[in-house]
Amino acid sequence: MKKNNHHAEGPDGLVYTARLPLSIVTLNYLADLIRGHLKKIGSRWRALPAGKIAGIVLAVPRCDQRPGDLAGGNGVHRTTVTRWVREVVGLLAARAPRLDRALKKIARKGGGIVLLDGTLIRTRRRTGTENRKNYSGKSKCHGLLVIALTDDKGRLLWVSATRPGRTSEITACRHDQLTHRLRTVGLGAIADLGFVGLDDTDPDADPAVITGYKAARNRPLTRGQKLSNKVLAAVRAPVEHGFAHLKNWRVLGKVRTDPKWATALVRALLVLTNREVSR
């Protein structure tokens, strides 16, 4: 019997097509953004049209596709796909809402509160001195901390810069002067017990950050405090939906690139997420 040891995929490899779980509105928005950028910088030629580039770029964060796989299936080099992704991420991140503008927009619409929370985006285990600062003792894994604000319906308003996983949520909020900026526009924020102690200003003033009650070993919660915690948990539940929409982009399952690039990536995905949710 003669053995057939030839590779099934042949010399050029197998290529398959897959459906992206995104709307055509998002694809057209990104294609128009790329066309405008090419016109601005005077680039007359690219290896593929803007619509095709937009589809390739969206496949990287949405499905966590490797640039090398996408390059082989579209007849371009891997570094070309990587350059396209970084270029588009930079364009989108520049359109992410800033904290002051996001808060003023909510205040103009008559809103009184925003929802505040933080999440950890997992990363690869770093080596050397980068190992310790990215390790989160709370989540027991390596990652980057991101603080986000949503409205009362869970729509993302703003995301902070990514910080090492060992950073506490309160420290990150104080670095962004969150309580001061909330008071400036007359808004309040509802947060979980992880933010207890963030708003430690004048006890007689109206709180800028509202949290529940935390039990102590020798001081259990009263019935009224438990009821208050339950009500606050129901009010702040939509913020979890906002993070769920953001983490639908599978590239955030474990960020494998340089953490210095993660801030631009998260803010770019915020813009795309809002496009998808509001369509």
Side-chain angles (χ1 to χ4, degrees):
M1 182 177 178
K2 186 178 180 179
K3 294 183 179 180
N4 185 4
N5 293 326
H6 297 294
H7 294 291
E9 64 270 17
D12 297 327
L14 289 174
V15 177
Y16 71 96
T17 57
R19 178 180 176 272
L20 275 175
L22 296 170
S23 67
I24 193 65
V25 176
T26 301
L27 179 65
N28 290 337
Y29 168 74
L30 195 57
D32 291 339
L33 188 63
I34 294 172
R35 292 189 190 99
H37 175 66
L38 297 181
K39 183 178 180 180
K40 181 179 179 180
I41 65 176
S43 178
R44 299 183 179 181
W45 181 87
R46 287 291 169 98
L48 295 175
K52 190 71 173 179
I53 293 175
I56 293 173
V57 170
L58 287 173
V60 174
R62 188 63 176 187
C63 302
D64 201 14
Q65 288 280 1
R66 300 299 191 274
D69 297 336
L70 292 170
N74 291 276
V76 294
H77 198 270
R78 177 186 60 81
T79 56
T80 301
V81 175
T82 302
R83 186 175 68 251
W84 286 343
V85 172
R86 298 214 172 217
E87 185 179 44
V88 172
V89 165
L91 293 174
L92 290 170
R95 286 161 174 76
R98 293 167 52 183
L99 179 57
D100 292 336
R101 295 178 181 176
L103 294 178
K104 289 178 182 178
K105 185 176 180 181
I106 290 294
R108 284 197 305 267
K109 290 182 177 180
I113 62 168
V114 292
L115 306 180
L116 170 66
D117 203 357
T119 188
L120 189 78
I121 297 175
R122 295 191 63 185
T123 62
R124 293 183 302 176
R125 184 181 184 275
R126 310 299 293 179
T127 58
T129 57
E130 298 293 328
N131 179 27
R132 287 181 176 272
K133 68 178 183 180
N134 283 342
Y135 183 77
S136 170
K138 177 181 177 181
S139 301
K140 301 296 187 294
C141 64
H142 291 79
L144 299 170
L145 177 67
V146 174
I147 304 296
L149 292 176
T150 71
D151 61 10
D152 55 354
K153 296 183 180 179
R155 288 188 290 262
L156 287 166
L157 303 174
W158 169 80
V159 292
S160 70
T162 57
R163 293 186 173 86
R166 70 180 182 183
T167 308
S168 70
E169 294 171 333
I170 292 180
T171 301
C173 290
R174 285 175 176 166
H175 186 274
D176 291 321
Q177 300 179 350
L178 189 59
T179 55
H180 171 70
R181 299 187 183 195
L182 286 170
R183 292 183 188 279
T184 300
V185 296
L187 292 178
I190 296 179
D192 61 13
L193 297 180
F195 293 87
V196 172
L198 173 59
D199 188 13
D200 55 358
T201 54
D202 187 0
D204 297 329
D206 293 334
V209 179
I210 303 171
T211 59
Y213 296 94
K214 186 180 291 187
R217 179 176 298 178
N218 57 351
R219 189 183 60 198
L221 297 180
T222 65
R223 183 177 179 182
Q225 290 173 336
K226 291 180 180 179
L227 181 60
S228 177
N229 284 354
K230 186 175 181 180
V231 172
L232 285 176
V235 173
R236 62 169 298 276
V239 73
E240 303 296 342
H241 301 305
F243 277 127
H245 288 306
L246 184 64
K247 290 190 174 182
N248 275 339
W249 302 90
R250 295 181 184 176
V251 72
L252 296 182
K254 178 176 278 190
V255 176
R256 299 177 180 87
T257 57
D258 190 341
K260 295 179 181 179
W261 186 63
T263 296
L265 176 62
V266 172
R267 288 176 174 170
L269 296 182
L270 167 66
V271 176
L272 292 176
T273 300
N274 288 339
R275 283 277 168 179
E276 279 291 296
V277 173
S278 63
R279 62 185 173 89

